[in-house]
Amino acid sequence: ISLDRIRNFSIVAHIDHGKSTLADRLIQSTGTVAERDMQAQLLDSMDIERERGITIKANTVRIDYVARDGQAYVLNLIDTPGHVDFAYEVSRSMRAVEGSLLVVDASQGVEAQTLANVYQALDAGHEIVPVLNKIDLPAADPERVKQNIEDVIGLDASDAIPISAKTGLGIPDVLEAIVHRLPPPKGDPNAPLKAMLVDSWYDAYLGVVVMIRIIDGVVRKGDRIKMMQTGAVYGIDKLAVLKPQMQDIPELGPGEIGVFTASIKQVRDTRVGDTITHEKKPCDQPLPGFKPSVPVVFCGLFPVDANDFEALRDAIEKLALNDASFTYEMETSAALGFGFRMGFLGLLHLEVVRDRLEREYDLDLITTAPSVVFKLHMKDGEVRDLHNPADMPDLTYVDHIEEPRIKATIMVPDDYLGDILKLCQDRRGIQLNLTYAGNRAMVEYDLPLAEVVFDFYDRLKSVTKGYASFDYQISEYREDNLVKMSILVNEEPVDALSMMVHRDRAEARGRAMVEKLKDLIPRHMFKIPIQAAIGGRVIARETLSAMRKDVTAKCYGGDATRKKKLLEKQKAGKKKMRQFGKVEIPQEAFIAALKMD
Ligand code: GTP
């Protein structure tokens, strides 16, 4: 196909503004998928994505469209992940296309993720077509939202297309705008092959499937290709386009987007952003700006039942086949036994992986407090990454400690602004900027990632009743006065509860933790001291008094079945606890103790 008949685009939107619904409509109205095969939210293929209503993996679809001018076009839609954790995948997908539809809910307006994603689209040099969705809603106010787009993003919205992805209203105008307002791709079919690795995933039947965008040259089935970053060479077994089911195709030329398989063993052997070329006649320069995605949030995962360790290992290895973005290594904890230290792109990523392990592999897991990666500058000049507070060396060897900082953008109705400012202040935030658009405020904060990874997002949602939106990017590593705080239960340090904290906040944090733990740990037959300490110095202490009565005592001995039930309940409750020396700590304690109110 000639380049001027191709349009490649993505859809950028805040979560819930209707990206997937619009994608479904575009697919449906062009007859790409037969009506009877149409399934709502076609592009969010994984169950968990559908359940949570979020898009995790980038998907794509090739749409054949005959425009009003009578010409046939090929439209390639790349569906980008909507969440902040997957920013790198978003930025790669954006570089594979020339334009974006900017979808804004006409009853809401621009939100933090709209902003973050639209900036990425602008960075990638996109032409952008604003689309106002959900105009069927009584609360829709397209004129106000147009103004909002101009004020907040600085984008001309006078030609924004009003649509309802739900009813189908305005969909033909969107298709025409894709053809007439977005530019065609550029590329040279006679140059050596240069293609971008946009995404890859594991398919149970086909093995690893790699999605590519051809920049220059032509790739054919059977070609020997080389991945420039990894140096690996493969023969292409299958070449296809996604409609969205795979449809074999003999070749792909410049501007085209498709997938191939090549007996690649695991997703880990492919790197998003890598350049693919021919083994024999390579291109001279790889595509610029390749960077592997690095995990920023780490936590320990341990089976509740120590006998499940092998099952956990198995499950993680299976999951790793399909998701190259988390890391894992074995970890042993004095308190929790054998488990894994895992690294994630962000908090949501952590939650998704943990959920999948628990649900798809039927495991009960203990998750230790998420921690960021600290950089330890040792006195001998060495710089070490600290992934686990339990591994913190003696302070006498450490010169200083750096932590990752983020630049956060929060958009919120101004009624809640005070609560947001307080929340950010409490988390050691530094305000960078505050602007208004209508009655919504946009604030930017410089915050330590460590203060955000735990429950910041939950807090943000609860103090604003869900009206705030939040997005962030990692800005830099910066030195601060950080120390390791240990928690001792019955004089024994519980390594899984140790954490890095700012020295000025250690006492308050330690106090809150021991108070929480006192409520979370059930009484035992003896007295249990619960302490927070820095080095050898105890900074907070609570004592859990000894239990006096049997749990069944209050049954007055009368009702035997009730007594039995109670004992069984107690037994079941026990399964979720771990033994620490002589003390049993329930699983919830590990997470709950770290939540700050
Ligand atoms: P993520 O996949 O989480 O990024 O969300 P999304 O932006 O893809 O949103 P999605 O398409 O899942 O739509 C979110 C909700 O809005 C769903 O309940 C849709 O049914 C609804 N919705 C989408 N478009 C319209 C519309 O035009 N009108 C109305 N009334 N509802 C819509």
Side-chain angles (χ1 to χ4, degrees):
I1 1 160
S2 76
L3 286 164
D4 61 356
R5 295 297 178 77
I6 302 175
R7 297 292 182 277
N8 298 320
F9 68 105
S10 60
I11 304 179
V12 300
H14 187 73
I15 278 181
D16 276 350
H17 283 199
K19 185 177 73 172
S20 310
T21 312
L22 173 58
D24 287 353
R25 275 285 172 244
L26 295 175
I27 292 168
Q28 194 182 26
S29 70
T30 49
T32 304
V33 174
E35 204 67 36
R36 65 172 189 285
D37 298 335
M38 197 65 199
Q39 202 181 350
Q41 308 253 319
L42 208 59
L43 289 182
D44 288 352
S45 55
M46 286 156 68
D47 281 355
I48 202 154
E49 287 181 12
R50 209 170 285 157
E51 222 168 273
R52 296 191 152 214
I54 46 167
T55 310
I56 295 160
K57 270 276 164 204
N59 282 299
T60 192
V61 61
R62 172 158 161 152
I63 297 169
D64 290 312
Y65 173 61
V66 179
R68 284 182 194 146
D69 62 10
Q71 306 280 13
Y73 291 87
V74 167
L75 315 179
N76 287 304
L77 162 61
I78 289 198
D79 185 22
T80 54
H83 193 274
V84 28
D85 288 1
F86 303 90
Y88 178 66
E89 285 194 20
V90 178
S91 93
R92 277 297 113 186
S93 310
M94 297 258 179
R95 294 203 184 268
V97 299
E98 287 75 33
S100 283
L101 302 178
L102 164 65
V103 177
V104 182
D105 184 332
S107 67
Q108 306 275 330
V110 173
E111 294 290 348
Q113 275 158 3
T114 323
L115 260 189
N117 288 334
V118 90
Y119 287 148
Q120 286 204 330
L122 290 168
D123 274 354
H126 284 192
E127 200 58 53
I128 293 172
V129 174
V131 173
L132 307 174
N133 190 29
K134 307 198 187 181
I135 56 161
D136 58 293
L137 291 177
D141 188 349
E143 288 311 312
R144 179 184 65 81
V145 172
K146 270 189 196 178
Q147 191 59 46
N148 178 236
I149 293 173
E150 299 195 349
D151 292 346
V152 180
I153 307 177
L155 200 72
D156 178 6
S158 53
D159 288 334
I161 308 171
I163 69 158
S164 166
K166 188 170 172 186
T167 67
L169 185 79
I171 300 299
D173 301 330
V174 175
L175 288 162
E176 286 296 308
I178 292 167
V179 166
H180 297 294
R181 288 166 63 179
L182 300 183
K186 297 193 184 78
D188 177 358
N190 300 312
L193 176 66
K194 183 185 260 188
M196 181 199 292
L197 198 163
V198 182
D199 193 12
S200 63
W201 59 90
Y202 189 81
D203 180 286
Y205 299 102
L206 297 168
V208 175
V209 179
V210 180
M211 185 167 117
I212 49 170
R213 153 72 198 261
I214 313 294
I215 309 293
D216 290 320
V218 176
V219 68
R220 295 181 182 84
K221 189 180 161 177
D223 283 359
R224 304 275 307 162
I225 50 118
K226 181 176 168 175
M227 314 252 190
M228 293 181 85
Q229 292 292 339
T230 62
V233 173
Y234 299 99
I236 292 189
D237 298 330
K238 179 184 179 74
L239 193 63
V241 290
L242 299 173
K243 306 198 85 181
Q245 285 78 15
M246 280 187 210
Q247 194 171 91
D248 286 353
I249 196 164
E251 60 174 49
L252 287 172
E256 291 196 271
I257 293 171
V259 296
F260 69 82
T261 64
S263 314
I264 300 171
K265 292 273 173 328
Q266 43 175 353
V267 175
R268 255 149 240 275
D269 299 334
T270 62
R271 307 260 167 85
V272 169
D274 200 349
T275 308
I276 292 172
T277 189
H278 277 129
E279 182 192 14
K280 286 283 150 54
K281 198 182 148 214
C283 58
D284 354 312
Q285 286 287 325
L287 295 158
F290 172 83
K291 65 167 201 246
S293 55
V294 273
V296 288
V297 178
F298 282 75
C299 78
L301 278 184
F302 295 85
V304 168
D305 180 346
N307 293 321
D308 284 344
F309 174 72
E310 287 303 329
L312 174 61
R313 184 212 295 275
D314 230 48
I316 292 176
E317 280 171 0
K318 284 217 184 84
L319 213 54
L321 284 176
N322 197 18
D323 183 350
S325 52
F326 69 81
T327 60
Y328 61 101
E329 59 180 44
M330 223 185 99
E331 178 181 17
T332 41
S333 148
L336 296 171
F338 291 108
F340 290 90
R341 187 89 194 151
M342 302 188 59
F344 304 96
L345 299 179
L347 259 197
L348 178 92
H349 188 209
L350 183 161
E351 275 178 39
V352 168
V353 172
R354 189 197 53 210
D355 270 22
R356 292 189 65 186
L357 288 171
E358 291 202 316
R359 283 199 279 172
E360 292 172 28
Y361 299 91
D362 196 24
L363 294 163
D364 274 333
L365 300 173
I366 292 177
T367 318
T368 64
S371 166
V372 302
V373 180
F374 294 93
K375 291 212 180 292
L376 306 183
H377 290 254
M378 309 301 286
K379 291 219 165 106
D380 63 9
E382 187 198 342
V383 182
R384 266 194 225 172
D385 282 351
L386 180 73
H387 290 170
N388 186 350
D391 299 335
M392 178 73 191
D394 195 300
L395 267 183
T396 51
Y397 299 110
V398 181
D399 184 70
H400 65 278
I401 305 175
E402 288 180 344
E403 63 175 347
R405 306 280 305 197
I406 60 168
K407 188 176 154 205
T409 304
I410 299 165
M411 302 189 76
V412 64
D414 53 13
D415 298 353
Y416 298 108
L417 183 62
D419 301 306
I420 293 294
L421 299 183
K422 179 170 184 309
L423 177 64
C424 292
Q425 229 64 49
D426 286 349
R427 301 296 171 94
R428 297 195 277 134
I430 301 166
Q431 191 179 316
L432 301 175
N433 212 344
L434 173 61
T435 49
Y436 288 90
N439 62 348
R440 284 179 77 81
M442 175 169 112
V443 287
E444 288 174 325
Y445 261 91
D446 170 272
L447 282 155
L449 179 62
E451 300 279 348
V452 172
V453 289
F454 202 70
D455 62 345
F456 183 82
Y457 194 45
D458 291 344
R459 299 283 306 148
L460 185 83
K461 280 190 293 193
S462 75
V463 299
T464 63
K465 303 198 169 57
Y467 284 115
S469 59
F470 165 70
D471 207 278
Y472 71 86
Q473 69 207 101
I474 306 264
S475 54
E476 60 172 356
Y477 267 84
R478 208 185 306 151
E479 180 180 351
D480 216 326
N481 194 355
L482 301 159
V483 289
K484 173 182 160 183
M485 181 170 80
S486 314
I487 299 294
L488 296 90
V489 174
N490 204 24
E491 317 281 345
E492 301 252 13
V494 179
D495 51 3
L497 285 173
S498 58
M499 63 192 300
M500 300 295 296
V501 289
H502 192 274
R503 192 179 288 273
D504 294 348
R505 298 184 179 238
E507 227 178 283
R509 209 61 173 280
R511 172 125 309 282
M513 285 255 300
V514 297
E515 277 169 13
K516 273 253 170 83
L517 284 169
K518 186 183 167 199
D519 290 338
L520 291 163
I521 300 175
R523 289 186 186 189
H524 285 56
M525 301 306 288
F526 46 89
K527 205 165 71 176
I528 303 171
I530 303 170
Q531 298 159 303
I534 294 174
R537 193 167 63 87
V538 172
I539 54 170
R541 176 190 167 113
E542 285 285 332
T543 306
L544 186 62
S545 53
M547 173 165 62
R548 279 192 215 110
K549 289 191 197 105
D550 190 287
V551 270
T552 57
K554 57 172 163 293
C555 295
Y556 308 111
D559 185 346
T561 47
R562 177 137 180 246
K563 197 163 174 177
K564 207 168 129 210
K565 253 194 204 143
L566 217 70
L567 282 169
E568 260 161 24
K569 219 164 134 194
Q570 201 186 27
K571 221 163 97 193
K574 237 184 204 145
K575 273 206 349 228
K576 286 246 175 193
M577 303 209 202
R578 294 300 299 250
Q579 192 83 31
F580 294 86
K582 283 157 57 192
V583 180
E584 282 183 330
I585 304 183
Q587 182 192 350
E588 316 84 77
F590 292 93
I591 292 293
L594 294 145
K595 293 212 169 164
M596 295 161 278
D597 311 293

